[in-house]
Amino acid sequence: MSIQDSGKKKLLHIGCGPQHILGKHGFDPEEWEEIRLDVEASVQPDIIGTMTDMKDVATGSVNAIFSSHNLEHLVPHELPVAMGEFLRVLKDDGYLVVTLPDLQQVARLVAQDKLDEPAYHTGAGLPICPMDILYGWRLAMANGQPYMAHRMGFTARTLQKALMQAGFGSVAIKRGNGDFALYAVASKPKLTSEALLELFNRHWSGGGVQTPLPAEKKSQQ
């Protein structure tokens, strides 16, 4: 896909579903243009594609990627492929904003034998149990969406490790407060601790990161 120059920063919203992200999580519609990518044509994305094959997105064409609850749907050996695609389409000063389940929080409920008890409810009031967080939302899969299955998972440490090993220069991660989620920002270049923290707090509210920041280095931006 050839992305037209609107004068705004380009945000690639992967696995968008029916959602639009502009106006949320620090993506001001006055500053950003959203490009929606999903495997499901019925949600009317701008691009039909997957995380592991974004051939219709040009190399170095987007300023940021937003991913909400997508990486856990990959088979582990697909993760480096997806990460490579993220880095490919990002501009040299681009970054990834990502959230996904925190298996450490979920494991506490499993250890309490609450595998099939609601951990929380969706905005529509539907219960989500640890079983759903670990293996994928059973209701969606039963209704003909088998790609909603979860095939891998992360803790804060393993997510940070995966992002750094993939080639991101700096990573900051925060564990959610009882919402069974991790929130992360990974920049393509190396950033100072201060610049990374500012970037993180721009997109994820509610305080700073809770994982150690990389040693300070001069920003390459």
Side-chain angles (χ1 to χ4, degrees):
M1 177 183 180
S2 177
I3 299 175
Q4 300 299 315
D5 186 4
S6 65
K8 297 182 179 181
K9 293 180 181 179
K10 305 299 187 293
L11 168 65
L12 181 63
H13 182 184
I14 63 171
C16 59
Q19 305 300 319
H20 294 259
I21 202 64
L22 288 186
K24 304 174 184 177
H25 302 303
F27 292 109
D28 187 339
E30 295 297 318
E31 181 182 4
W32 292 90
E33 174 186 351
E34 181 180 12
I35 302 154
R36 298 167 64 249
L37 181 149
D38 200 281
V39 70
E40 179 56 63
S42 67
V43 301
Q44 300 183 323
D46 299 298
I47 302 171
I48 296 175
T50 68
M51 291 178 284
T52 57
D53 183 5
M54 298 194 291
K55 61 181 180 294
D56 291 329
V57 184
T59 297
S61 62
V62 301
N63 300 90
I65 296 171
F66 181 81
S67 170
S68 177
H69 292 268
N70 293 301
L71 292 178
E72 64 270 24
H73 298 288
L74 296 173
V75 174
H77 70 261
E78 293 177 321
L79 182 62
V81 180
M83 293 291 185
E85 280 289 83
F86 293 173
L87 288 166
R88 179 185 67 78
V89 303
L90 283 170
K91 293 177 181 285
D92 289 342
D93 61 350
Y95 57 92
L96 168 68
V97 179
V98 60
T99 181
L100 44 73
D102 178 1
L103 292 193
Q104 279 187 296
Q105 293 189 58
V106 179
R108 292 193 181 99
L109 294 183
V110 176
Q112 297 168 17
D113 199 16
K114 296 180 178 180
L115 184 65
D116 59 351
E117 297 181 20
Y120 66 93
H121 290 77
T122 68
L126 299 173
I128 302 294
C129 302
M131 177 78 79
D132 300 301
I133 303 172
L134 289 172
Y135 301 111
W137 194 17
R138 291 167 291 170
L139 179 61
M141 290 188 285
N143 288 333
Q145 296 176 298
Y147 50 81
M148 292 295 288
H150 293 179
R151 299 187 286 179
M152 66 178 305
F154 300 88
T155 65
R157 181 186 63 81
T158 63
L159 177 59
Q160 186 171 42
K161 180 180 177 182
L163 291 166
M164 296 297 288
Q165 287 184 338
F168 283 95
S170 298
V171 178
I173 299 176
K174 175 185 174 181
R175 300 184 66 190
N177 183 18
D179 62 0
F180 308 97
L182 295 171
Y183 301 92
V185 169
S187 64
K188 193 169 180 178
K190 291 185 182 297
L191 301 178
T192 64
S193 293
E194 289 83 0
L196 180 59
L197 185 60
E198 189 280 329
L199 182 64
F200 183 93
N201 287 333
R202 187 188 312 168
H203 295 290
W204 293 126
S205 61
V209 298
Q210 298 169 333
T211 59
L213 294 173
E216 288 189 10
K217 295 184 180 180
K218 185 178 180 180
S219 171
Q220 295 179 353
Q221 285 187 303

